[in-house]
Amino acid sequence: MDANWIPFHPNPKKPAFVLPPGAVDAHCHVFGPAAEFPYAPERKYTPCDAGKDKLFALRDYLGFTRNVIVQATCHGKDNRAVVDALKAANGLARGVATVGPGITEADIAEMDAVGMRGVRFNFVKRLVDSTPKEVFIGIAEKIAKFDWHIVVYFEAQDLEELIPFLKELPTTIVVDHMGRPDVTKGIYHPDFRRFISLMDEMPNLWSKVTCPERLSLSGPPYDDVIPFCQAIVERFPDRVLWGTDWPHPNMTTHAPDDGALVDYIPKIARTQEQQRKLLVDNPMRLYWAR
Ligand code: 0GY
């Protein structure tokens, strides 16, 4: 792993918040293990190994029932580690892949059969080399036939330029980590209002209300991020997802305690109904409809 890599928390607390039955951790990753699933040559970071067995143990420890495993950029377009985890999960995991323009319908069908349900388009420059928008549109047209959706990862300052592209996409679109707002600017800043307006305008746009540990400047317990998550959960209760982001790639200050992250949920989804939608109904509708 990279010399400055911060491995995931070794012994997270048992959460005080009791998750509703059937809760889904809808944003997490697997890394390797490299001996079995080597990291991609084009990767921008080399993480610690964090394989499926550790992920499933954490799922059970925290009280989740299911996982949505998102292909991490350190594995490039080689989705074998995620596919292997999906097969081992016996229906309790779904996946989001990263694919290139050469992907065929047969490839998509094969991944669909093991539980892949989407692709991720990444615009974060420190994580990936850029992909032309036409390439993404071509992929979108192919996966739409399988009723897959698209996860997009970008930073707040890039949203304005991306809006026409997002409007062209034919599927449900899930934005990672609320589009990474600058939380020092507050929820009334034009950047965050732009994101809220876009969700108002586009009924196919969803948001993960995830990663306070990435967005926070104040650090644990991440109180500076609460208003952002709350605003989205309250306005769009049927289009939000939540996940741990385990094993937390590229943290620069600390490894978040996954149990403490679960205890964050009732601060951002304050009614039982909001919690059930966020943790069960929404991810089940998007990932387990079939
Ligand atoms: C995340 C965060 C990051 C990395 C990746 O695929 C990845 O490598 O997602 C990040 O560094 O912001 O969304 O889990």
Side-chain angles (χ1 to χ4, degrees), residues 213-285:
E213 72 284 4
R214 286 184 190 286
L215 305 175
S216 176
L217 288 174
S218 58
Y222 317 124
D223 287 347
D224 52 343
V225 191
I226 292 174
F228 293 81
C229 302
Q230 256 179 16
I232 294 181
V233 169
E234 274 165 22
R235 196 170 177 98
F236 308 105
D238 298 309
R239 290 191 266 149
V240 283
L241 297 172
W242 192 89
T244 54
D245 195 34
W246 188 90
H248 309 287
N250 303 309
M251 290 301 295
T252 52
T253 51
H254 67 293
D257 179 324
D258 297 281
L261 287 176
V262 169
D263 283 342
Y264 195 75
I265 298 171
K267 298 186 191 176
I268 64 168
R270 287 176 290 180
T271 68
Q272 280 189 354
E273 189 186 5
Q274 286 174 355
Q275 291 162 7
R276 198 195 65 239
K277 288 181 171 191
L278 175 66
L279 296 162
V280 187
D281 299 354
N282 300 343
M284 290 307 287
R285 204 163 75 246

Side-chain angles (χ1 to χ4, degrees), residues 5 27-29 31 44-45 70-76 98 120 122 124 126-128 151 153 155 176-177 180 208 210-211 213-214 244-251:
W5 190 261
H27 184 88
C28 51
H29 311 282
F31 297 153
K44 306 289 186 201
Y45 63 85
V70 178
Q71 170 76 352
T73 58
C74 55
H75 280 295
T98 298
R120 192 184 201 199
N122 199 324
V124 178
R126 74 187 155 79
L127 291 173
V128 285
V151 172
Y153 193 18
E155 296 185 314
D176 275 339
H177 322 331
R180 295 197 63 126
K208 291 183 195 164
T210 36
C211 284
E213 72 284 4
R214 286 184 190 286
T244 54
D245 195 34
W246 188 90
H248 309 287
N250 303 309
M251 290 301 295

Side-chain angles (χ1 to χ4, degrees), residues 40-160:
E42 72 274 22
R43 70 190 180 279
K44 306 289 186 201
Y45 63 85
T46 305
C48 62
D49 283 343
K52 61 180 185 295
D53 299 338
K54 291 205 167 68
L55 176 65
F56 298 153
L58 181 75
R59 173 197 68 195
D60 296 345
Y61 176 77
L62 296 175
F64 287 99
T65 302
R66 295 179 173 81
N67 295 107
V68 178
I69 308 173
V70 178
Q71 170 76 352
T73 58
C74 55
H75 280 295
K77 298 180 183 68
D78 175 353
N79 296 284
R80 281 178 299 166
V82 175
V83 165
D84 173 69
L86 298 181
K87 286 181 180 164
N90 291 319
L92 294 180
R94 294 287 190 252
V96 175
T98 298
V99 303
I103 192 83
T104 65
E105 291 199 3
D107 297 330
I108 301 170
E110 196 180 319
M111 288 194 280
D112 186 81
V114 297
M116 212 67 96
R117 290 292 183 269
V119 288
R120 192 184 201 199
F121 294 166
N122 199 324
F123 295 93
V124 178
K125 295 172 188 77
R126 74 187 155 79
L127 291 173
V128 285
D129 297 328
S130 80
T131 299
K133 303 239 177 38
E134 313 79 75
V135 169
F136 281 146
I137 296 287
I139 294 169
E141 284 164 1
K142 286 183 198 171
I143 60 103
K145 294 183 196 154
F146 288 79
D147 207 18
W148 283 19
H149 65 278
I150 296 164
V151 172
V152 286
Y153 193 18
F154 57 82
E155 296 185 314
Q157 69 272 15
D158 298 324
L159 173 58
E160 191 160 15

